[in-house]
Amino acid sequence: MSLELNKKALLYYLSSHAGVSYENLEERLNLSKHSVKLLIEGLLYSYDHIFSIQEQGGKLSLHIFDDTAFKTLVIEDLLLSTDLNSFHKRQAIFFKMLLETDDYLSADSIAEALGISRRSLSRDINRMKEVLQTYCLQLESKSGVGIKIVGEELHKRLLYLYEIMDYLEPETGLPQELLDTYMDFMESQHFPIDVERTFLATLNITVLRREHALKDNVLTWFTSQDKLDLPSIFYEILAYFLGREVTAAERAFLTFPMQIGLLASEIGRPDILTMAEDVLSLTVQEFGISLDIEESALILQRHLVYMLNRSVMKWQFTEISLREQLIQSSFSKVVSQFFVDRIVERTGLNISDKEVVLLAAWMELLLARKSKPLIAKVAVITQSGQSFSYLVDHQIRQIFNSDIQLDFLDFVNHPPYEELNRTYDLIFTDNLLYSQELFQPFLSLSLVTKENQAEREALERTVLGRKIQMYCQVETVRFDETKSYEANLRILLDQLVEKGLIPQEVVEKLKQKEQAHPAISDNGYAFPHLTDVSLEQICIVVLEQDQLQLESRIGTPIRDFILLFVPSELDDFNQDLLFNIFDNTFRMKETLRIKQRLGLENCGKK
């Protein structure tokens, strides 16, 4: 799956180079710089006990703390997707063995291959039956003979694609001529790594299952985009090795990694448009809302086509970011759930719950347009990148009008919501989808309301905190409340020097600066800080204590504390990060502690 493959490729590349620029990583992974940063952030969030990734002078370097754990992570664990339970590896081997033969396999031979007992295999099989049911497949067993998987060929191929390829290293048994053609096509298209690998998997599966042709018309809702079809020479070579013609269904199966939502083409489907109108009519009646049914159905048409394509191919979203919770109880989510349930009734498709979150974004826009027909200024608070912003710009102008003022604001650095509400007619935030199956940005917005502003601010601080811990040196300190503030500061500075985090001359500069003009505010907030050319990275020190009762030598009460060391030269990214740190430090309400303002609540806690 795309997320784990990109993580693996990134770690491989960093581990084989002393220093790597973002430009090299962007070219290597076919990702934007923003996506690379998010990828690194996710890795450090999960595996900072195994390695660290440091940025200096625009170059990234990998520092491994545990060689054995790192090797296991890259070679094995990242192939287990985000679930590191070894059951999934056993399940993948089990399905692979059964799909590679048309005959029955004895339970003893399977248990031996998995290295487990017959009793353990029986327990595993009970869980595996539930997985097979989601693919409309069953296990057929004969006493004294063995077991095999029975069901439609498409469902077997999807099982192979989603439950095997991401847990086992692929064994490329393709004829060289076919593999060469595949490589030539990939080099000309410049697809992302995840698309390349999934396409290679569909090709492998087609060759592996060549004795079982996919019947035509099995992909009822699949809408092929001819511009992304394979060259005719590819099908000719494939047909030669299959010993038969490649069916239309197999062409659809082969190319669907490239087809699902990758090409922003206009799709006209009268049947889907009619269904959208019917379901919208029911939705309007159910909730008493006011929507222009025909116009709204026309706007929703392409999204529904892609949603149905994904659902036919069991394209399940596995994760959406923390901000998914922001719309769980929103009205648009309720409306979206009703809409999806009616689509399920009409199509018989199994649609992912995460699709409801995506559709809720469209409902937010449609409902907002109807409630406020005269929209002049819209703000979108986002950190999803340029491609997402382009998508949102296009759709919002389509839904409202082409002349509106549309401003994109940074997710962790924007004016207070109270100010935004005075400036803009509507405010949206992106839900920032993370998923192992997502090949491109999806429209995923939710409307900011007065009721959810506090929760949004808390999540924005969480995002800032993760960025701070990734790109800055973050330390915690516990002050001795029996000593003065000045004495505690001296002890802290000596500890930082002893750890090698800052040189002694920087400490002396800060001591002189504090002696001349102590950085203490009237409300008992101490914020000593220094900028120096010898520093290489932003260094932040915050208190471990949630409450502090301390005084300076002259009796000034100290209730909160942050120490900042800042390099003289910062690139644009770190400059923005520093501004976010200052902004959240001094702008947030005084009722919040420094660690809360910066999203570092758990920093220092065991």
Side-chain angles (χ1 to χ4, degrees), residues 261-273:
L262 276 175
L263 186 65
S265 61
E266 295 296 334
I267 296 176
R269 285 289 296 267
D271 50 346
I272 294 179
L273 183 59

Side-chain angles (χ1 to χ4, degrees), residues 37 91 93 103-104 185-186 229 297 332 375 410 492 502 591:
K37 286 179 180 288
Q91 177 177 266
I93 296 172
D103 207 350
Y104 290 89
F185 180 69
M186 286 296 103
D229 203 3
S332 62
I375 302 296
D410 186 79
L492 168 61
I502 53 174
T591 54

Side-chain angles (χ1 to χ4, degrees), residues 319-567:
E319 178 188 0
I320 295 181
S321 79
L322 293 173
R323 280 170 279 167
E324 181 182 356
Q325 63 186 275
L326 292 175
I327 63 171
Q328 285 300 326
S329 59
S330 69
F331 180 59
S332 62
K333 167 70 159 46
V334 176
V335 174
S336 176
Q337 185 68 64
F338 178 85
F339 190 96
V340 169
D341 289 344
R342 304 293 81 75
I343 295 290
V344 170
E345 291 172 359
R346 282 162 170 71
T347 63
L349 293 174
N350 182 24
I351 297 177
S352 168
D353 290 339
K354 304 300 184 183
E355 295 282 2
V356 175
V357 180
L358 288 175
L359 184 61
W362 290 93
M363 292 301 177
E364 293 270 13
L365 291 170
L366 295 174
L367 292 170
R369 181 184 67 165
K370 199 63 183 178
S371 64
K372 291 186 176 183
L374 300 178
I375 302 296
K377 300 179 71 175
V378 175
V380 177
I381 301 171
T382 177
Q383 66 168 4
S384 289
Q386 289 185 349
S387 56
F388 180 83
S389 298
Y390 177 81
L391 174 73
V392 170
D393 185 291
H394 175 76
Q395 299 299 345
I396 284 185
R397 295 186 189 281
Q398 177 186 357
I399 290 175
F400 297 105
N401 65 72
S402 59
D403 298 325
I404 64 167
Q405 176 184 325
L406 180 60
D407 296 329
F408 290 92
L409 309 178
D410 186 79
F411 188 74
V412 294
N413 176 32
H414 60 77
Y417 281 110
E418 293 79 7
E419 181 180 332
L420 293 178
N421 282 322
R422 292 193 296 267
T423 306
Y424 295 96
D425 300 313
L426 292 174
I427 307 166
F428 293 96
T429 62
D430 74 75
N431 293 310
L432 194 60
L433 278 87
Y434 291 107
S435 174
Q436 298 155 347
E437 294 90 355
L438 293 180
F439 286 168
Q440 92 290 344
F442 287 79
L443 182 63
S444 181
L445 300 174
S446 51
L447 189 63
V448 177
T449 64
K450 292 182 179 179
E451 291 74 22
N452 63 26
Q453 284 179 12
E455 192 174 9
R456 289 180 183 281
E457 289 173 351
L459 286 173
E460 288 168 8
R461 292 195 298 272
T462 298
V463 173
L464 175 61
R466 289 178 64 177
K467 287 188 174 182
I468 290 173
Q469 289 181 297
M470 176 181 170
Y471 293 103
C472 304
Q473 179 69 45
V474 181
E475 297 288 321
T476 60
V477 62
R478 178 168 289 276
F479 277 171
D480 184 348
E481 294 180 312
T482 65
K483 298 178 180 177
S484 70
Y485 161 70
E486 288 83 1
N488 275 288
L489 181 58
R490 283 199 305 272
I491 293 171
L492 168 61
L493 293 173
D494 290 341
Q495 290 173 346
L496 295 178
V497 172
E498 186 176 345
K499 287 183 178 181
L501 298 177
I502 53 174
Q504 183 65 44
E505 54 267 26
V506 170
V507 168
E508 297 304 324
K509 287 182 181 179
L510 182 66
K511 287 180 179 178
Q512 293 172 13
K513 182 180 178 183
E514 282 294 296
Q515 189 170 5
H517 302 286
I520 302 175
S521 66
D522 294 337
N523 59 0
Y525 167 50
F527 52 96
H529 54 281
L530 183 74
T531 300
D532 191 84
V533 69
S534 66
L535 299 171
E536 297 182 352
Q537 189 178 27
I538 298 172
C539 180
I540 299 176
V541 183
V542 292
L543 288 170
E544 288 185 14
Q545 292 112 307
D546 292 327
Q547 300 293 330
L548 184 66
Q549 301 292 329
L550 200 64
E551 288 189 353
S552 69
R553 284 204 191 105
I554 60 174
T556 304
I558 308 296
R559 300 291 177 260
D560 209 350
F561 172 86
I562 183 174
L563 171 63
L564 274 172
F565 287 109
V566 181

Side-chain angles (χ1 to χ4, degrees), residues 180-296:
D180 291 342
T181 308
Y182 159 82
M183 294 302 298
D184 290 342
F185 180 69
M186 286 296 103
E187 288 177 6
S188 66
Q189 296 298 318
H190 304 292
F191 286 131
I193 289 176
D194 54 331
V195 178
E196 288 189 23
R197 184 172 185 264
T198 306
F199 174 40
L200 183 59
T202 58
L203 182 57
N204 270 306
I205 294 168
T206 301
V207 172
L208 177 71
R209 304 285 301 175
R210 57 183 172 273
E211 303 299 328
H212 309 275
L214 270 183
K215 298 177 182 178
D216 287 338
N217 301 321
V218 295
L219 302 179
T220 309
W221 289 102
F222 192 86
T223 305
S224 180
Q225 300 168 10
D226 293 337
K227 290 181 181 178
L228 287 177
D229 203 3
L230 300 173
S232 57
I233 184 65
F234 190 95
Y235 292 119
E236 292 172 5
I237 296 174
L238 179 59
Y240 174 80
F241 285 104
L242 293 181
R244 58 174 175 78
E245 289 299 313
V246 182
T247 67
E250 283 174 327
R251 291 186 179 216
F253 177 78
L254 274 170
T255 61
F256 92 90
M258 296 171 281
Q259 303 281 3
I260 296 183
L262 276 175
L263 186 65
S265 61
E266 295 296 334
I267 296 176
R269 285 289 296 267
D271 50 346
I272 294 179
L273 183 59
T274 300
M275 181 175 63
E277 291 176 349
D278 292 344
V279 175
L280 276 174
S281 179
L282 290 174
T283 306
V284 167
Q285 295 174 26
E286 175 73 16
F287 297 102
I289 57 179
S290 178
L291 281 179
D292 186 317
I293 293 175
E294 290 186 6
E295 188 176 3
S296 298

Side-chain angles (χ1 to χ4, degrees), residues 136-169:
C136 303
L137 297 171
Q138 293 179 324
L139 281 181
E140 183 179 282
S141 60
K142 287 188 178 180
S143 180
V145 179
I147 54 180
K148 71 175 182 178
I149 295 176
V150 295
E152 295 292 332
E153 176 62 21
L154 174 63
H155 298 153
K156 291 181 180 180
R157 294 193 183 198
L158 293 176
L159 178 73
Y160 203 108
L161 187 65
Y162 296 130
E163 305 297 338
I164 296 176
M165 66 166 270
D166 291 294
Y167 300 98
L168 300 174
E169 284 284 9

